[in-house]
Amino acid sequence: MSERAAAAAPTPNVTRTDPMQPAPWRVVRTEPETHDAFKLTLAPVEAGPPFTFEAGQFNMLFAPGVGEAALSMSGCSGTVDRVVHTIRAAGRVTKTLRTLKRGDVLGLRGPFGKPWPVGLAEGRDVLLVAGGIGLAPLRPALCHMLEHRERFGRVNLLYGARSPQDILFAKEIETWRGRFDVSVEVTVDRAGADWHGRVGVVTTLVPRAQFDPANTVAFICGPEIMMHFTQRELERHGVPDESVWVSMERNMKCGVGFCGHCQFGPLFVCKDGPVFRYDRVAPLLGIREV
Amino acid sequence: MGTPSAGQIHRLGRDQLASWVDALLGERKRVFAPVLRRGLRVLRAVERAQDVDFAPGRTRWSPKEFLFPRTETLFSYENRDGVPVLADPPADDVPRILFGVQPCDAAGLVRLDSILLQDPFYARRRELTTVVAIACSEAAPECFCTAVGGSPAGQEGVDVLLAPLETGWVVRALSPKGEALLAPRRGGWETAAAGDWEAALEQAGRVAGSIGRRELPAAWAEKLEQSFADPIWDELARRCVGCSICAYVCPSCSCFDVADEGSDACGSRCRTWDSCSFRLFTQHGSGHNPRATQPARSRQRVLHKFAFYPLQHGGRAMCVGCGRCIRSCPVGMDIHAEVVEVMSGRPEKEAGDVQR
């Protein structure tokens, strides 16, 4: 990406390889996803080297004049000519990104971070456990598994949202449900009388999934407390810590491991993560305010 | 006196140091040196040697700002036909000399290198910088370089070391950069007498002996890393007001914030010094803050310097014992005392703040 950024710079000098320089990307499509989440589809403004990313990686998206935010990609991974982000409008930058229209240009640098180890899941049963907007970074992993379905054992998606109105990818979830080769379970924390699905925390879905605990890989993404309790539930079902992976979230400024903001004990979430094997972060997750 | 050669140690009279600085300025090198400004001893770009305060000793601020500025523009942009077009800040390729810094400050630059050399702006300035340090002739009450592997005549990160003699200075190049800086002068300089260098080191040894602050107990980094859940952190941090002066005066603190300014039409991205003691440092866009209290932030600061960093960087603390944070803290926090206290064998309490 930095090469592309440098190509845009009129006076090339020392910053040629500066990882802090975003490249211009154009919004080719915007879609509301829920009442507070939306989807942005982006294409590079300039011709450049192909954009390749792996499931679970993130970009720094730059709203000129407002700022940058670290956001996971939700589109299918690989070498792509479009980058898809599903974003919850939570802060200043993401709220600005929501106002963008087709044709607008924003800045993008990335991809950054360690991805979900989808290769390790081959030949094994899979549990994808998502809480809230945490489904977005897991979508590329599911996408990859459905594309190469024969390589994986039983694939389970367990998804918990706050309310029926907060369910991401609602249409796609229906499509996945229609497939016989993936099991999809959804629950919400609270719902009105018009909700006929499950109510309860996402951990209550674990007993409904079919997996061989000794030969399973679990990817979890959601609030820290949700990941913690999901891991406990998996442990109860016999899934060892070494088979569990979580994706962490921290405030990030540089994305490449030197601004210091995302430090999580000795780890930098941006470059050592955001995806970590559970046993690596377990001691830290147990400490208040690491 | 034989033909001057590389590696030779020289002896300079008091005035010769000033003429050297004037000669460097004459070669259009930028010289940052200690000057007295309104009662404070600070490093500034000097225009003549006469303004330089050549005495050994601490400056109010560390020299890090000359390699890692408090604020710097990373790029600017301008909207052209709907596309933000980026421009680099003007390049600054003047060779520069940090003249008369303390050995601990030179060591601080080596700590910064381990984090910031991956940044092209820092790396360029670093390449252009030669460090001339002056060995300390006395230790301040806050000094503890010897507890973190340094010394009053420390050589880490030093290109040329000057040490005070009774009648002048002894000068020695310690790196290729230092050799290059001395090479043009060697012809006009007197070779040091046998024993001059040893005398200077002996003097530094006496200074080291006068440092009252204790060395750290064995395996300090490992032990500190285990101290996460110790309630002592709450106690130690109770006083901290979160002003972050400790990080600002620190020669090795390298964290920065990124701020975007301007509008859709034009603007710039700046990098500014930041500190893990600030509440906003870890606050998410949503308002959630995973490190929301001051004790947790104080713990992060100490553990980063004395546990996480050393365990990843060959056992060296991210602290050079300059004592500026102790000297500057408005409420008397003392990082050396904190480290010693956390490790001083307080009875291990139940892990009070472990939630789960």
Side-chain angles (χ1 to χ4, degrees):
Chain A
M1 292 312 299
S2 49
E3 291 91 334
R4 201 172 305 171
T11 50
N13 61 23
V14 294
T15 63
R16 200 170 265 286
T17 55
D18 185 9
M20 299 299 289
Q21 287 199 348
W25 284 60
R26 195 179 298 280
V27 176
V28 292
R29 198 177 152 92
T30 67
E31 293 155 80
E33 195 50 66
T34 65
H35 61 99
D36 64 352
F38 59 101
K39 182 169 131 184
L40 282 183
T41 305
L42 309 168
V45 169
E46 297 156 357
F51 186 93
T52 303
F53 79 101
E54 293 180 64
Q57 286 192 297
F58 67 92
N59 291 320
M60 299 295 293
L61 293 191
F62 170 46
V66 181
E68 251 185 348
L71 297 160
S72 291
M73 284 169 275
S74 61
C76 294
S77 55
T79 298
V80 295
D81 52 11
R82 297 276 187 278
V83 162
V84 180
H85 282 274
T86 305
I87 302 164
R88 191 166 73 90
R92 217 158 55 95
V93 175
T94 46
K95 281 176 183 160
T96 306
L97 293 176
R98 182 160 65 168
T99 65
L100 294 181
K101 304 271 180 296
R102 196 161 78 100
D104 286 347
V105 175
L106 51 67
L108 180 154
R109 54 194 183 93
F112 298 127
K114 298 276 188 296
W116 298 111
V118 286
L120 281 181
E122 291 187 7
R124 303 165 82 174
D125 291 337
V126 176
L127 291 169
L128 305 176
V129 191
I133 193 73
L135 183 55
L138 276 169
R139 188 178 170 275
L142 180 59
C143 198
H144 173 87
M145 288 166 186
L146 295 181
E147 206 171 307
H148 306 281
R149 187 63 192 86
E150 71 292 350
R151 296 186 197 167
F152 301 90
R154 288 166 288 191
V155 176
N156 299 274
L157 173 64
L158 311 180
Y159 178 39
R162 276 185 203 160
S163 74
Q165 290 72 44
D166 289 294
I167 294 175
L168 288 181
F169 312 129
K171 268 191 198 156
E172 211 169 7
I173 284 176
E174 286 315 308
T175 316
W176 294 333
R177 273 196 164 131
R179 293 177 67 136
F180 295 107
D181 57 357
V182 54
S183 151
V184 179
E185 296 285 348
V186 178
T187 182
V188 295
D189 293 343
R190 53 174 189 275
D194 54 344
W195 170 251
H196 301 295
R198 302 189 167 276
V199 177
V201 292
V202 72
T203 49
T204 60
L205 300 177
V206 173
R208 305 185 57 81
Q210 296 206 334
F211 58 96
D212 168 9
N215 193 34
T216 289
V217 165
F219 297 164
I220 316 175
C221 187
E224 270 170 49
I225 193 77
M226 166 266 176
M227 298 198 286
H228 173 74
F229 280 105
T230 303
Q231 180 278 333
R232 281 232 305 226
E233 184 66 12
L234 294 179
E235 194 176 36
R236 225 167 55 79
H237 283 80
V239 180
D241 278 3
E242 304 87 70
S243 304
V244 177
W245 302 75
V246 295
S247 181
M248 299 288 303
E249 187 181 9
R250 281 292 180 274
N251 182 26
M252 291 178 191
K253 291 292 181 176
C254 74
V256 287
F258 68 124
C259 77
H261 286 256
C262 70
Q263 272 196 343
F264 181 53
L267 306 168
F268 283 82
V269 172
C270 68
K271 69 171 168 131
D272 300 322
V275 174
F276 294 98
R277 202 169 85 172
Y278 188 80
D279 55 348
R280 208 170 164 205
V281 289
L284 296 169
L285 283 171
I287 298 165
R288 202 185 67 210
E289 297 194 281
V290 174
Chain B
M1 193 164 85
T3 318
S5 64
Q8 205 159 21
I9 305 170
H10 293 279
R11 174 205 269 267
L12 298 188
R14 295 201 182 279
D15 298 343
Q16 278 178 294
L17 205 54
S19 8
W20 183 24
V21 168
D22 277 329
L24 292 169
L25 289 165
E27 291 161 10
R28 298 190 174 281
K29 292 192 169 79
R30 196 173 297 154
V31 178
F32 300 101
V35 299
L36 295 171
R37 282 283 158 82
R38 291 188 288 256
L40 295 181
R41 192 163 186 270
V42 290
L43 289 162
R44 287 284 182 276
V46 293
E47 282 165 14
R48 46 188 194 161
Q50 205 184 321
D51 298 336
V52 178
D53 176 24
F54 286 109
R58 191 196 288 148
T59 49
R60 182 75 172 196
W61 296 84
S62 90
K64 86 174 165 191
E65 64 185 298
F66 303 111
L67 289 113
F68 172 41
R70 295 163 195 237
T71 297
E72 76 179 305
T73 301
L74 299 177
F75 63 81
S76 57
Y77 63 87
E78 203 182 274
N79 194 322
R80 291 193 204 143
D81 304 324
V83 179
V85 176
L86 271 49
D88 293 329
D92 175 7
D93 283 338
V94 182
R96 62 233 27 211
I97 295 148
L98 288 178
F99 200 101
V101 298
Q102 301 185 114
C104 58
D105 284 337
L109 296 179
V110 179
R111 302 294 175 283
L112 289 185
D113 289 349
S114 66
I115 309 288
L116 291 174
L117 270 184
Q118 62 180 303
D119 169 65
F121 295 89
Y122 177 88
R124 183 71 184 131
R125 284 190 207 103
R126 189 70 172 105
E127 195 187 325
L128 292 165
T129 302
T130 306
V131 179
V132 180
I134 295 184
C136 296
S137 57
E138 60 179 14
E142 303 89 7
C143 288
F144 62 99
C145 62
T146 45
V148 286
S151 117
Q155 303 192 0
E156 193 184 13
V158 176
D159 296 310
V160 173
L161 187 65
L162 288 165
L165 293 172
E166 268 180 36
T167 55
W169 301 89
V170 58
V171 185
R172 183 175 197 171
L174 298 171
S175 73
K177 263 187 190 173
E179 283 294 345
L181 193 70
L182 295 196
R185 313 277 160 231
R186 288 194 186 282
W189 283 356
E190 186 187 339
T191 303
D196 274 356
W197 178 253
E198 289 70 20
L201 291 188
E202 235 172 77
Q203 162 65 10
R206 280 193 292 276
V207 177
S210 75
I211 292 177
R213 289 169 175 265
R214 282 197 265 165
E215 308 232 341
L216 304 182
W220 45 271
E222 290 82 356
K223 281 184 194 155
L224 279 171
E225 203 190 19
Q226 300 308 314
S227 73
F228 247 126
D230 197 318
I232 193 173
W233 291 112
D234 291 307
E235 224 167 286
L236 290 175
R238 203 161 284 158
R239 274 181 300 180
C240 179
V241 292
C243 73
S244 291
I245 189 66
C246 46
Y248 282 74
V249 295
C250 180
S252 65
C253 266
S254 64
C255 289
F256 61 84
D257 191 22
V258 175
D260 287 294
E261 298 179 332
S263 66
D264 213 18
C266 63
S268 60
R269 171 166 299 171
C270 298
R271 166 166 66 194
T272 58
W273 289 358
D274 203 351
S275 163
C276 56
S277 300
F278 287 135
R279 184 175 53 83
L280 289 179
F281 191 74
T282 47
Q283 184 159 305
H284 292 195
S286 63
H288 168 65
N289 195 339
R291 207 186 286 143
T293 65
Q294 206 60 45
R297 296 193 282 271
S298 293
R299 176 179 65 189
Q300 165 67 20
R301 177 172 164 76
V302 176
L303 291 189
H304 183 211
K305 289 184 170 296
F306 287 92
F308 311 145
Y309 179 92
L311 292 173
Q312 291 171 355
H313 292 86
R316 306 302 304 274
M318 199 178 188
C319 169
V320 291
C322 74
R324 284 191 185 87
C325 55
I326 303 172
R327 171 79 178 74
S328 304
C329 181
V331 293
M333 304 275 288
D334 182 328
I335 197 166
H336 176 263
E338 277 180 62
V339 169
V340 170
E341 205 169 329
V342 172
M343 300 182 60
S344 64
R346 286 179 146 242
E348 280 193 15
K349 298 179 187 168
E350 287 295 310
D353 64 347
V354 172
Q355 278 183 323
R356 300 153 183 164

